[in-house]
Amino acid sequence: TKTISKCYVQVTGMTCASCVANIERNLRREDGIHSILVALMAGKAEVRYNPAVIHPAAIAELIRELGFGATVMENCGEGDGILELVVRGMTCASCVHKIESTLMKTNGVLYCSVALATNKAHIKYDPEIIGPRDVIQVIKDLGFTTSLVKKDRSASHLDHKQEIRQWKRSFVVSLIFCIPVMGLMIYMMVMDSRLSDAHAHHNMSNEEMEALHSSMFLEYQLLPGLSVMNFLSFLLCVPVQIFGGWHFYIQAYKALKHKTANMDVLIVLATSIAFVYSFVILLVAMAEKAKVNPVTFFDTPPMLFVFISLGRWLEHVAKGKTSEALARLISLQATEATIVTLGPDNVLLSEEQVDVELVQRGDIVRVIPGGKFPVDGRVIEGHSMVDESLITGEAMPVTKKPGNTVIAGSINQNGSLLISATHVGADTTLSQIVKLVEEAQTSKAPIQQFADKLSGYFVPSIVAVSVVTLFAWIIIGFVDFEIVEKYFLGYNKSISAAEVIIRFAFQASITVLCIACPCSLGLA
């Protein structure tokens, strides 16, 4: 008896079924190669060979000579089949032991664990030697009833409807309140520029200028220190901070609990500080009955939230689109298969309907006209036309005759076919596509990971910079008060120099925090 080993080769550069056929045809001719199976979507070839004649590196080299990239895969545990079963009728620990010991003695079973409490069995097996139906039969022979754990085929975990709703709501709330704030801001800017023009042309004194400034409606003070502009901005900002920023606060809290700083932490930091600082400044101004209206940052939070929630909303809409496509793909999979037993000269002896998950490699499956192919396989008998548009997008049916490969999920049109299963379960082309799309869904784009990583360093450094600013201005102020006086316009002469310095230092450091918050990074 020749010993036969098995190896897996990662193959790159395959584009279509003819590449697969090319590799399989050429390698079968080589000495020492027993059989070869290539899976296009997984980019994987499973080769059974005689180690006395040929070794894996040489096999990879043969594939390379055909013009594809090939590397031998080290961890060959990929080939293990995993089976989850529900076992009924177990009463005590000895039942569990009976099942486990019998299965472990069975040739081809690599690992088995049965849980009495949940009635579940978890079995690893070698699909070359044994298949799920054999395992189920062994358990049935022991006198227990068993069935497969039903898989959720609906792809409900990929549904983004709730997130789409939540970010849309967040965006709309922020937008409703943001538009007036922006309007007010633009109006102020226009008026300011007009004023400065007027000032330039008419050489007004500063006093007249102040008078003109305060006569503007928005600068009109409702209460001493509280202008119409600031009051309106405050009113518009509160709902955005609460409703628009709700999700950000939750996310930021979770991130901080795990001692990390992500984008949400930055957004929350910037908006909260801008809001709280502006609010406090207004209260102070009112308490002091200030003549000059303080500079507030009420415009920052609504605008930030608008852009970011719009971005998140669009992101989830895009993800939702992919998920819909995935759900459709998953629904293309057949649920049952008709397995036939053939006698000599391909005489039909018996046939039975089984769950698709129970089809084993090497089974003979019969596909009737109008039926779906449950697994990837090779035609043994029969001629038919097959609609493979789900994979190839090709509208014209493809002719299938003995020796041709068929793809799971494609539709058999006019003739009955017998196929031998080559790829079953998670190895079928369709399952691989679903898996690839799922992986693409769950992984972040590299640039996104980079931004998150950066913001991890960015948050502490911005906070540090603003603290430095605070202390720097306090020191400068106490050393040379004139500088602060020059930049801090319209402060109340009645308050002490120390208070002026500290207030100015705070204003400078908060400005740094609000403006240097890498909002642009988050938005991008």
Side-chain angles (χ1 to χ4, degrees):
T1 55
K2 285 191 296 185
T3 53
I4 298 230
S5 301
K6 187 168 70 166
C7 71
Y8 291 92
V9 183
Q10 186 82 49
V11 185
T12 54
M14 295 189 293
T15 51
C16 62
S18 68
C19 297
V20 173
N22 182 10
I23 295 175
E24 290 188 354
R25 196 178 56 244
N26 280 295
L27 276 154
R28 276 212 190 89
R29 298 191 191 132
E30 298 293 336
D31 268 350
I33 290 184
H34 209 264
S35 71
I36 171 161
L37 259 182
V38 182
L40 176 66
M41 289 309 299
K44 200 161 87 177
E46 178 186 311
V47 188
R48 300 176 73 194
Y49 62 98
N50 179 355
V53 183
I54 195 166
H55 54 97
I59 296 172
E61 188 50 47
L62 288 172
I63 297 177
R64 268 191 227 108
E65 281 168 15
L66 294 173
F68 303 98
T71 46
V72 179
M73 290 163 74
E74 295 303 324
N75 51 340
C76 295
E78 294 286 323
D80 294 347
I82 290 177
L83 191 58
E84 293 269 353
L85 297 175
V86 177
V87 183
R88 299 257 170 240
M90 296 190 292
T91 50
C92 60
S94 68
C95 298
V96 172
H97 178 70
K98 192 160 91 186
I99 295 173
E100 283 184 1
S101 57
T102 313
L103 277 175
M104 288 305 283
K105 279 184 213 141
T106 310
N107 187 14
V109 175
L110 307 170
Y111 165 82
C112 162
S113 120
V114 182
L116 180 65
T118 56
N119 285 339
K120 284 213 178 117
H122 183 85
I123 299 141
K124 261 192 192 157
Y125 61 93
D126 181 352
E128 296 286 316
I129 305 170
I130 196 171
R133 286 205 312 285
D134 309 330
V135 173
I136 288 179
Q137 196 50 53
V138 169
I139 299 177
K140 282 206 174 122
D141 292 345
L142 289 172
F144 302 98
T145 54
T146 175
S147 60
L148 276 171
V149 173
K150 278 276 170 264
K151 278 208 187 104
D152 175 25
R153 283 217 174 98
S154 62
S156 56
H157 59 289
L158 297 168
D159 190 13
H160 290 269
K161 287 198 181 68
Q162 195 209 340
E163 283 101 333
I164 292 174
R165 268 206 311 274
Q166 141 186 334
W167 287 115
K168 185 178 175 181
R169 200 171 56 225
S170 179
F171 169 66
V172 170
V173 168
S174 308
L175 188 68
I176 290 170
F177 293 104
C178 168
I179 292 171
V181 171
M182 288 193 60
L184 289 174
M185 229 178 76
I186 294 166
Y187 176 72
M188 286 293 289
M189 281 176 179
V190 172
M191 293 315 264
D192 273 351
S193 66
R194 281 207 189 147
L195 279 178
S196 50
D197 289 353
H199 189 211
H201 291 134
H202 304 299
N203 301 333
M204 282 192 279
S205 67
N206 277 343
E207 283 74 29
E208 283 174 283
M209 174 107 171
E210 291 290 324
L212 184 60
H213 212 282
S214 54
S215 66
M216 260 169 61
F217 168 67
L218 285 178
E219 289 289 322
Y220 173 74
Q221 297 196 338
L222 295 170
L223 295 166
L226 178 67
S227 66
V228 175
M229 166 82 181
N230 282 340
F231 182 62
L232 285 178
S233 300
F234 171 70
L235 283 188
L236 292 168
C237 193
V238 172
V240 177
Q241 201 65 29
I242 297 168
F243 299 111
W246 182 246
H247 305 299
F248 293 105
Y249 277 100
I250 295 170
Q251 296 305 109
Y253 170 68
K254 285 179 184 162
L256 286 174
K257 217 163 68 177
H258 296 294
K259 299 190 172 55
T260 57
N262 58 1
M263 243 19 263
D264 299 309
V265 176
L266 279 186
I267 295 158
V268 164
L269 194 72
T271 51
S272 312
I273 287 177
F275 181 76
V276 171
Y277 165 77
S278 308
F279 183 54
V280 170
I281 271 289
L282 271 189
L283 291 181
V284 171
M286 284 163 68
E288 288 182 352
K289 300 187 167 39
K291 299 279 178 292
V292 177
N293 293 314
V295 178
T296 56
F297 296 110
F298 282 129
D299 52 345
T300 310
M303 283 161 71
L304 250 187
F305 282 139
V306 162
F307 290 124
I308 288 170
S309 49
L310 173 64
R312 299 263 167 112
W313 176 33
L314 291 177
E315 185 184 350
H316 282 292
V317 167
K319 279 189 175 170
K321 288 266 192 306
T322 331
S323 307
E324 268 169 45
L326 242 193
R328 277 201 209 100
L329 259 185
I330 291 176
S331 69
L332 290 172
Q333 293 172 336
T335 51
E336 294 208 312
T338 307
I339 291 182
V340 297
T341 320
L342 296 180
D345 306 328
N346 287 0
V347 184
L348 268 183
L349 295 181
S350 70
E351 61 174 61
E352 57 166 334
Q353 283 274 9
V354 299
D355 213 21
V356 137
E357 274 103 27
L358 291 180
V359 179
Q360 301 167 189
R361 185 184 287 183
D363 279 343
I364 310 295
V365 180
R366 194 179 76 155
V367 184
I368 53 172
K372 271 183 190 169
F373 288 97
V375 290
D376 291 3
R378 203 170 269 113
V379 180
I380 303 177
E381 194 181 278
H383 288 261
S384 180
M385 304 293 282
V386 174
D387 172 11
E388 291 188 340
S389 57
L390 91 143
I391 300 286
T392 59
E394 174 182 21
M396 292 294 287
V398 188
T399 314
K400 295 289 177 193
K401 54 183 190 293
N404 291 145
T405 52
V406 290
I407 303 170
S410 52
I411 297 163
N412 185 15
Q413 297 200 330
N414 48 15
S416 179
L417 292 177
L418 287 182
I419 66 165
S420 161
T422 54
H423 294 100
V424 296
D427 296 330
T428 62
T429 311
L430 201 56
S431 305
Q432 289 290 336
I433 294 177
V434 171
K435 186 172 142 225
L436 284 172
V437 180
E438 278 180 338
E439 278 171 10
Q441 286 275 296
T442 48
S443 60
K444 281 184 181 171
I447 190 77
Q448 220 173 337
Q449 289 170 343
F450 183 64
D452 273 347
K453 196 161 132 194
L454 263 189
S455 58
Y457 301 118
F458 221 104
V459 183
S461 54
I462 292 293
V463 175
V465 169
S466 71
V467 170
V468 169
T469 312
L470 175 74
F471 286 113
W473 275 111
I474 290 178
I475 294 163
I476 293 171
F478 282 116
V479 174
D480 188 353
F481 185 63
E482 268 81 66
I483 299 180
V484 174
E485 217 165 13
K486 193 170 85 188
Y487 290 113
F488 197 16
L489 301 171
Y491 73 91
N492 198 331
K493 297 284 186 291
S494 61
I495 54 180
S496 68
E499 201 178 327
V500 173
I501 292 165
I502 287 172
R503 192 183 296 181
F504 178 69
F506 260 102
Q507 202 169 320
S509 70
I510 296 285
T511 309
V512 168
L513 252 190
C514 289
I515 292 167
C517 149
C519 318
S520 52
L521 187 68
L523 291 180

